[in-house]
Amino acid sequence: MTAAAVPQPRAENEPSAPAARGRRSSLAVALLAGALGAALVLLATSRKWAEGTASVAQGSLPQSANGDDITGLPGALAIVGLAALVAIFAVRRLGRGAVSALLALSGAGIVVSSALGATDKAALEEKASKVSGLTHSPIHDVAYTPWPWVAAAGGVLLLLAGVLALGYGRHWPAMSGRYERAGTAGTAGRARTRRGGPAPDPDRPEELWKALDRGEDPTQAPARQDAERGA
């Protein structure tokens, strides 16, 4: 009679299969949301957010303002958020938490500034003043496009990426670990070469040049070696 297989206990620090899948999923979602959110914000801020008509002496002239004309904050925060998303994998522990918080705050700032810019006509009024030559030139028939809300949606995605990084980031891999291991291995290999490698041949041309660089006379080295062997 065959004995039933006894399940082996899982190590204390080893995550369960669902937990491991959740951590991988959170990493994939955060990367996708962060990259897509930053791209949406940068695209939206380069598009027209508002348009209107300025009154001048000859009649009226149409005016328009891009997102960057109305507010430069969403575009700047998108770049900060994208840099924070990359930096998450280069830091650990408290540093990773701080960078994750910066990513989340960048997303929240984009949402707020984009919502405020969706009804802002200061940029249109400034353009109207330049066209008319008046200090306070009125702007009429103001209309707004959906692009500010596209930028706000990008901010929400960056905020989501930051929240995921705050919740699961401590379990994500770090780039620095691999490079540190590679650097340690390379240092150990060089140390073994220094300990176990053959002694340099003083008659080789490169060794003669090294001796000259140190201020030594390489022609005297064989004589000293012969004298030492004779002694």
Side-chain angles (χ1 to χ4, degrees):
M1 188 172 179
T2 305
V6 178
Q8 297 295 326
R10 189 173 65 250
E12 183 179 354
N13 295 328
E14 182 182 351
S16 61
R21 284 195 298 270
R23 293 171 184 177
R24 289 193 297 268
S25 299
S26 66
L27 173 59
V29 172
L31 288 174
L32 179 61
L36 180 59
L40 280 178
V41 174
L42 293 175
L43 173 65
T45 53
S46 65
R47 296 298 188 268
K48 181 168 62 178
W49 282 23
E51 56 187 354
T53 304
S55 299
V56 295
Q58 295 80 10
S60 61
L61 288 176
Q63 300 294 318
S64 63
N66 293 340
D68 291 328
D69 297 329
I70 294 176
T71 172
L73 192 57
L77 288 177
I79 296 175
V80 171
L82 194 58
L85 182 64
V86 175
I88 286 175
F89 303 97
V91 294
R92 297 181 180 181
R93 297 185 178 88
L94 294 178
R96 178 166 290 190
V99 174
S100 301
L102 177 62
L103 174 59
L105 290 174
S106 298
I110 290 171
V111 173
V112 174
S113 57
S114 298
L116 293 176
T119 56
D120 190 347
K121 61 179 182 179
L124 287 176
E125 292 175 346
E126 182 180 355
K127 288 190 173 185
S129 298
K130 291 180 180 179
V131 170
S132 64
L134 302 175
T135 305
H136 300 288
S137 179
I139 190 81
H140 307 287
D141 303 326
V142 178
Y144 300 95
T145 68
W147 284 110
W149 303 110
V150 175
V156 171
L157 291 175
L158 282 168
L159 176 59
L160 173 62
V163 171
L164 288 173
L166 286 171
Y168 298 94
R170 63 184 181 277
H171 304 298
W172 293 349
M175 291 187 301
S176 58
R178 182 178 62 186
Y179 295 123
E180 286 173 1
R181 289 193 296 271
T184 303
T187 303
R190 289 192 296 270
R192 286 195 298 270
T193 302
R194 286 197 298 268
R195 288 196 300 268
D201 185 358
D203 294 329
R204 296 180 63 184
E206 56 269 25
E207 297 299 331
L208 295 176
W209 282 111
K210 291 178 182 179
L212 289 173
D213 289 338
R214 292 193 298 268
E216 300 175 358
D217 186 357
T219 60
Q220 301 299 324
R224 287 198 302 269
Q225 292 176 358
D226 293 340
E228 291 174 356
R229 285 197 295 269

